[in-house]
C-alpha cells in the first residue's frame, strides 16, 4: 500500500513557460527492479517550532514478502484511460477524469492482451498459452531479509538495532550483542520501529 502511494501521480504547482499551465503531474518509477530492494520509511517529520525532527510512531504493518510486477511503477502502467462515466480519454498519468473528476480505475486492462492474460495478471496466476505450456507472468518476489530499527523519539536521539534473517530464524544485532529473536517478536518490533527494510 505504501509503495502504491509512493508511485501514485501527484499534482504540483509548476509554471510552464510554453503553455502557461500552473500545474504539473509528477510520476516516479523503477527503471528496472533491483536484485536487492532497500526501502526507507520516513518516520521523522520536521517540527519548525521546536527546530527538530520528531519521530512518527505509527505502527506500519510491514509485509514479509513483496510481489512486484517487473514493470512496477514504470510508464508501461500509465496507459491512457477512458472515463467510465463520461467516456473522455485521459492521459495515463492523470488520476482523475479531466471532465467529470471521476477517479481513474485501479486496473486498466491491456487492450492488446487476451482477457485471460489480464485476469491472470490481476490475480498473479500462471496461464496457459495455446500450446498448453504454462506461462508465468513476469513478477519479482522479494522476501524481507533485514530491518534497521530506530529506538527513540527524535532524529537527534535514539539507538539503532538490526534484525537479520539467518535461514528461517531471526537474529537481533544490538551493538556487539547478538541474540536470537522469535518471528512474532521480530515482526512486532519491525512494524513499530522499522526504519530501513532490506528485501
Amino acid at each position: 500500500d505504501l509503495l502504491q502511494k509512493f508511485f501514485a501521480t501527484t499534482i504540483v504547482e509548476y509554471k510552464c513557460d510554453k503553455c502557461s499551465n500552473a500545474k504539473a503531474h509528477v510520476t516516479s518509477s523503477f527503471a528496472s527492479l533491483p536484485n536487492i530492494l532497500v526501502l526507507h520509511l520516513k518516520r521523522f517529520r520536521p517540527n519548525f517550532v521546536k527546530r527538530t525532527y520528531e519521530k512518527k510512531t505509527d505502527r506500519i504493518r510491514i509485509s514479509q514478502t513483496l510481489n512486484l510486477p517487473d514493470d512496477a511503477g514504470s510508464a508501461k502502467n500509465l496507459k491512457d484511460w477512458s472515463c467510465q462515466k463520461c467516456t473522455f480519454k485521459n492521459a495515463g498519468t492523470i488520476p482523475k477524469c479531466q471532465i467529470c473528476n471521476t477517479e481513474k480505475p485501479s486496473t486498466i486492462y491491456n487492450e492488446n492482451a487476451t482477457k485471460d492474460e489480464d485476469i491472470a495478471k490481476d490475480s498473479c496466476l500462471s496461464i496457459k498459452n495455446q500450446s498448453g505450456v504454462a506461462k508465468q507472468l513476469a513478477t519479482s518476489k522479494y522476501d524481507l531479509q533485514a530491518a534497521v530499527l530506530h529506538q527513540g523519539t527524535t532524529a537527534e536521539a535514539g539507538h539503532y538495532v538490526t534484525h537479520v534473517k539467518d535461514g528461517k530464524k531471526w537474529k537481533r544485532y544490538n551493538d556487539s550483542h547478538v541474540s536470537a529473536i522469535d518471528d512474532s517478536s521480530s515482526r512486532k518490533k519491525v512494524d513499530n520501529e522499522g526504519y530501513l527494510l532490506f528485501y
Side-chain angles (χ1 to χ4, degrees):
D1 201 34
L2 292 175
L3 281 176
Q4 286 176 342
K5 287 181 182 176
F6 178 81
F7 286 115
T9 300
T10 56
I11 300 172
V12 297
E13 301 280 331
Y14 178 78
K15 179 78 171 165
C16 177
D17 294 334
K18 292 182 181 178
C19 69
S20 299
N21 194 353
K23 293 185 179 177
H25 296 268
V26 178
T27 58
S28 300
S29 65
F30 290 113
S32 62
L33 291 177
N35 292 330
I36 298 170
L37 180 64
V38 181
L39 301 177
H40 171 215
L41 300 178
K42 296 182 180 180
R43 288 204 181 259
F44 299 100
R45 67 174 159 242
N47 181 326
F48 297 109
V49 174
K50 295 181 181 178
R51 294 186 179 177
T52 188
Y53 284 87
E54 294 177 339
K55 184 175 178 183
K56 295 184 205 175
T57 56
D58 303 349
R59 183 170 188 254
I60 301 170
R61 192 176 151 273
I62 305 297
S63 178
Q64 299 294 301
T65 303
L66 294 177
N67 289 305
L68 299 178
D70 285 344
D71 62 352
S74 77
K76 293 177 198 170
N77 286 332
L78 302 175
K79 292 185 177 199
D80 291 351
W81 60 281
S82 295
C83 177
Q84 294 174 344
K85 187 174 182 182
C86 72
T87 69
F88 181 77
K89 189 157 188 163
N90 295 278
T93 57
I94 308 293
K96 291 184 178 180
C97 179
Q98 294 175 307
I99 302 298
C100 67
N101 214 27
T102 301
E103 293 275 338
K104 176 181 178 180
S106 59
T107 302
I108 305 297
Y109 291 109
N110 180 349
E111 295 168 5
N112 299 323
T114 67
K115 188 172 182 182
D116 289 342
E117 284 177 320
D118 275 326
I119 291 168
K121 188 167 187 178
D122 290 341
S123 57
C124 300
L125 299 173
S126 293
I127 59 171
K128 291 187 178 181
N129 60 20
Q130 291 177 342
S131 63
V133 178
K135 179 169 68 172
Q136 185 66 40
L137 294 168
T139 60
S140 294
K141 181 179 176 186
Y142 292 92
D143 293 315
L144 184 64
Q145 298 299 315
V148 176
L149 287 61
H150 178 267
Q151 301 171 328
T153 56
T154 70
E156 291 84 22
H159 181 67
Y160 292 94
V161 296
T162 305
H163 289 196
V164 177
K165 199 170 193 179
D166 185 12
K168 293 190 177 197
K169 300 193 183 261
W170 286 92
K171 289 186 179 178
R172 180 179 174 91
Y173 290 78
N174 185 356
D175 293 333
S176 61
H177 182 71
V178 180
S179 59
I181 184 169
D182 65 88
D183 188 59
S184 64
S185 295
S186 179
R187 282 182 189 219
K188 188 174 180 181
K189 288 278 192 186
V190 170
D191 287 354
N192 290 321
E193 300 172 348
Y195 180 63
L196 290 171
L197 307 173
F198 296 83
Y199 285 90

